[in-house]
Amino acid sequence: MITVKNVTGGYNASTAIVHNLSFSVKKGHFFALLGPNGSGKTTIIRLIMGALSLHSGDIIIDGRDVREYKPRELAQKVAVMTQENEIGLDFTVQEIVSLGRYPYQKSIFFKENTAKDHEIVEQVMKQTQVWSFKDRPYNALSGGEKQRVLLAKALAQEPDLLLLDEPTNHLDVRHTMELLDLLKKLQLQTNLTIIAILHDLNLTSLYADGIGLLCGGELYGTYNGLLEENAKDFSEVYEVDMQFHSHPDVAKNQIFVSPSFLFESKEEVLTNFLSVKEAEHHMELLFAKPLRTISVGTNGKGITWEDGFYIAKNKESGPTKQSMHFFGDAVVFAYNSEKNCCEKWVDSKQINNAWSALLILTTYKHSYQLGVITATYFDDKELMNVAMQLTAIKTELQLKAEAHSYSHEPLSLLTVSSYGQAESQRKNDVQSATKEIIQLLQHAWKSLYYDSDNQKQNEVYRIMK
């Protein structure tokens, strides 16, 4: 439909805003232009419309150079919906939409709408759901209604290519979604080609078929959506660390950013974020801030943010805040990163400064519950991987226990909580932290079932009396 080839241009002959841009948009596709403020997005729209002169390069629309089109011809082929939402004269909605028929009118000064003009105007007003208030003054409308009227005006030109300059600017979430839903419906039903300047990257991911990313007047790249492997490009252009994760309901990625004020540079050890609160029948391991946590099993929650671990001798109502609940006899071990060994947590009132991971293993009504707290940052994928490894190792250990006639007890809860932050210089990377956690599980299991002579222990330390 449109090809932009080696285009350089700007607002005057001496100063170029965009440099050597090249991209193509197929007919019937929705292409989004993204980039920081001042990167040249609006300049591209104006160059396509012929409002600005090309310094060099070519813009081809339906096989013809844009410079070959007469103004009326181009207006019949391409329409622009601008950010404008105020019109000086007190026109009615229908009069505003009728202005979109100007490319088909023979006279500039004496405009007479034909039967076809009236038919097209009514059709696009119904498409955009503004027909019901066609006689209302335009300036009396809400922001969302005005945008739909301006869209109807652009559609009245019967364009093959629709250009949109920040169409959702100043709209709330509901009206933004309504407008983009309408545009997508028109694209799919009428094979309309759309090039839109957008600022919301998550909405762009949901609606656009392709993306052009601009930076400093140059095209940084074109993308078929927000793919995980392109997160670095977008982070560099916007100068913000971005994480791409899948949408829970749609096969698209969404962008997540983390405010820097929430993070402090601290050595990644348990004492920086973990405290203990004891009562007669239970103990709480409290986190200084919610930790990213994966929990699986019959009592698992999936991937969540948790405020701590609640450990009780018997099953009872736990705290009201977001905590993982463990019940039964508990044995607790910590990994000492200075000595590179596993240690039993003997005094619950003291947390060693050298501890980098903690493991809680409880038995309750013929089932196990396993909780891990690590001071190393794990992203969601890494949390899932370590949970799978722990499950496999627990199964292997259990098979060995069954070979010694120890009873089979299922794992009703496996949870791993991660404290660290992605941008920090981590003392322990994910690989070494995973090894620490595995060693803790093996050590705890051995303490639960075996002594040095491979016999079942007569006495196991219980942190809960």
Side-chain angles (χ1 to χ4, degrees), residues 302-357:
I303 295 182
T304 56
W305 292 95
E306 300 294 335
D307 290 319
F309 285 6
Y310 179 86
I311 308 169
K313 184 76 172 179
N314 299 307
K315 196 166 187 179
E316 56 186 71
S317 59
T320 56
K321 61 184 178 180
Q322 188 91 342
S323 295
M324 298 306 305
H325 293 195
F326 297 82
F327 304 103
D329 293 322
V331 57
V332 184
F333 286 90
Y335 191 87
N336 189 316
S337 57
E338 291 182 357
K339 297 180 179 179
N340 292 321
C341 67
C342 300
E343 298 177 343
K344 187 180 292 183
W345 191 5
V346 178
D347 185 355
S348 60
K349 295 180 180 179
Q350 293 185 354
I351 303 175
N352 193 315
N353 287 330
W355 289 353
S356 56

Side-chain angles (χ1 to χ4, degrees), residues 89-229:
L89 298 177
D90 198 19
F91 289 116
T92 66
V93 168
Q94 187 167 3
E95 288 170 338
I96 293 293
V97 177
S98 296
L99 294 175
R101 295 302 297 166
Y102 80 91
Y104 301 92
Q105 294 169 343
K106 295 180 181 179
S107 172
I108 297 177
F109 301 103
F110 302 99
K111 301 181 178 68
E112 294 183 2
N113 289 328
T114 65
K116 183 176 181 181
D117 290 332
H118 288 295
E119 178 186 344
I120 296 298
V121 167
E122 180 177 347
Q123 175 185 319
V124 297
M125 291 181 73
K126 288 180 176 178
Q127 279 181 325
T128 55
Q129 301 173 3
V130 300
W131 179 253
S132 61
F133 48 87
K134 60 186 175 66
D135 296 321
R136 286 175 59 188
Y138 174 81
N139 288 333
L141 302 180
S142 69
E145 290 169 337
K146 286 180 178 179
Q147 289 298 81
R148 295 209 311 272
V149 171
L150 293 176
L151 175 58
K153 173 177 170 288
L155 294 175
Q157 294 176 223
E158 298 182 273
D160 296 319
L161 172 62
L162 178 62
L163 307 177
L164 303 114
D165 189 354
E166 300 184 36
T168 60
N169 196 27
H170 305 307
L171 296 185
D172 60 27
V173 174
R174 173 194 159 196
H175 290 102
T176 294
M177 295 290 291
E178 286 179 349
L179 182 63
L180 291 173
D181 280 338
L182 176 58
L183 287 168
K184 197 67 180 178
K185 182 179 178 181
L186 290 169
Q187 173 209 349
L188 297 175
Q189 290 182 348
T190 67
N191 207 30
L192 180 66
T193 305
I194 297 173
I195 297 179
I197 296 173
L198 298 174
H199 277 295
D200 191 315
L201 276 66
N202 284 329
L203 289 177
T204 299
S205 176
L206 296 176
Y207 288 93
D209 303 308
I211 295 171
L213 182 61
L214 292 163
C215 182
E218 298 181 354
L219 188 66
Y220 199 91
T222 56
Y223 309 88
N224 295 319
L226 301 181
L227 304 180
E228 190 172 348
E229 58 263 31

Side-chain angles (χ1 to χ4, degrees), residues 45 54 70 131 146 152 175 185 188 190 245 248 269 296-297 299 315-317 333 359 379 397 419 443:
I45 297 292
L54 293 174
K70 295 179 180 179
W131 179 253
K146 286 180 178 179
H175 290 102
K185 182 179 178 181
L188 297 175
T190 67
H245 296 287
V269 292
V296 296
N299 298 323
K315 196 166 187 179
E316 56 186 71
S317 59
F333 286 90
L359 181 141
D379 62 24
L397 292 171
Y419 167 73
H443 193 83

